[in-house]
Amino acid sequence: MINEEIFVLSLPYSQNKNKTVRVYVPSHEEGETFPVIYMTDGQNLFEFEKDRGQLGSWFTHDAVKEEYNNNGKAAIIVGIHNDSTPMERTNELTPKNIGNFIFPPEMPEPVRKMLVPEGELFDEFILNTVMPAVEQRFPVKTGRNNTAFCGSSSGGLFSFFTVLSHPEIFSYGGVFSPVFIMYDRNDLEKWIRCTIQDINDLPYLYMYMGGADDMEKLLDVQFEWVCGLLENCYPHKQLFKKVMPEQKHHENAWEINFRAFLHKFLTQQ
């Protein structure tokens, strides 16, 4: 038996900048392979991060062990760090080609100018750098049915973007508290409809939103609108929506929903 372990990689990102990527591999027998979930905010995914004064933890490795104990199935978790400033994180996880942005009236002009979307660059990094490195070094099952993506807040927006942009690569997307509010509705609807119209096998979308703080309440308006749109143009069997009004915009809520998302993903294996 090979014991569970979290591996730390440093992979080239852009302009001589490397990114930290951590990979949790559960305990396994020699030659055993696992499906894989790629995730944003790798700095908040594992328990020991809570001791470093981070926002909290998703306790993903505990979720994997619990799922294995209950159902005999496990997954490898790949956490891509977003460990720069909040604005740089927003830029990394915000795609440009979805459409025009809507800025709150109270947002100062200098802050608006700092928003330089690089979501496409982050997407490219995952597909062309992270995934090949992970598949080469770790016991992952390759192929669409064995590959998922998950994220929260700006990461939820990015997860929505990347799984719909690459349905041939990802079969499941965890879209937690997504920041759809960034975009003009007409542009967002056009992007969604144009993107999914040519997809024969659409990925499963796990859509989640809370409601117990100002941030979740703000995001919920556009979230409900997007979900309403999807209910009219997306296969119902591939769409799951969950709202927990008692939950805040926080890792504690995303931990709960990750466990449910993990179970759904693994039980279809």
Side-chain angles (χ1 to χ4, degrees), residues 44-212:
N44 293 331
L45 299 183
F46 304 106
E47 182 177 2
F48 57 85
E49 288 303 328
K50 197 170 187 178
D51 299 327
R52 296 184 179 182
Q54 300 285 341
L55 296 174
S57 174
W58 291 45
F59 300 96
T60 56
H61 62 302
D62 285 346
V64 171
K65 287 187 283 188
E66 180 180 302
E67 188 66 27
Y68 181 79
N69 290 336
N70 291 339
N71 299 297
K73 297 191 176 188
I76 286 174
I77 307 297
V78 179
I80 301 103
H81 276 223
N82 301 101
D83 48 5
S84 49
T85 69
M87 182 56 73
E88 287 174 325
R89 174 184 176 275
T90 298
N91 288 342
E92 284 180 353
L93 299 176
T94 304
K96 183 178 181 179
N97 67 18
I98 289 180
N100 293 319
F101 300 113
I102 297 178
F103 298 106
E106 65 273 16
M107 181 179 286
E109 186 63 27
V111 177
R112 299 185 188 199
K113 290 181 179 179
M114 291 173 65
L115 181 63
V116 183
E118 298 177 349
E120 285 77 11
L121 176 63
F122 195 75
D123 180 70
E124 205 172 285
F125 171 67
I126 291 164
L127 268 58
N128 298 330
T129 302
V130 177
M131 292 184 70
V134 169
E135 291 176 358
Q136 182 179 14
R137 291 189 53 176
F138 303 104
V140 301
K141 291 181 178 178
T142 59
R144 177 184 188 273
N145 289 338
N146 300 306
T147 311
F149 201 97
C150 185
S152 65
S153 196
S154 292
L157 166 65
F158 180 82
S159 178
F160 184 78
F161 167 77
T162 201
V163 298
L164 288 184
S165 296
H166 309 289
E168 76 285 1
I169 294 175
F170 301 105
S171 62
Y172 266 62
V175 184
F176 299 170
S177 305
V179 189
F180 292 135
I181 199 171
M182 295 282 292
Y183 298 97
D184 173 81
R185 283 191 179 183
N186 290 332
D187 289 346
L188 185 53
E189 178 174 2
K190 182 179 179 181
W191 184 86
I192 291 172
R193 290 188 181 277
C194 289
T195 300
I196 69 175
Q197 69 179 358
D198 295 326
I199 301 175
N200 293 323
D201 195 3
L202 287 161
Y204 184 96
L205 297 178
Y206 183 114
M207 309 284 293
Y208 161 77
M209 183 61 69

Side-chain angles (χ1 to χ4, degrees), residues 1-4 7 24-36 64 67-69 71-76 134-135 137-142 146 266:
M1 174 70 73
I2 302 172
N3 292 331
E4 65 174 347
F7 299 86
Y24 169 72
V25 180
S27 299
H28 61 285
E29 301 291 345
E30 184 70 38
E32 188 176 8
T33 57
F34 300 93
V36 57
V64 171
E67 188 66 27
Y68 181 79
N69 290 336
N71 299 297
K73 297 191 176 188
I76 286 174
V134 169
E135 291 176 358
R137 291 189 53 176
F138 303 104
V140 301
K141 291 181 178 178
T142 59
N146 300 306
L266 291 180

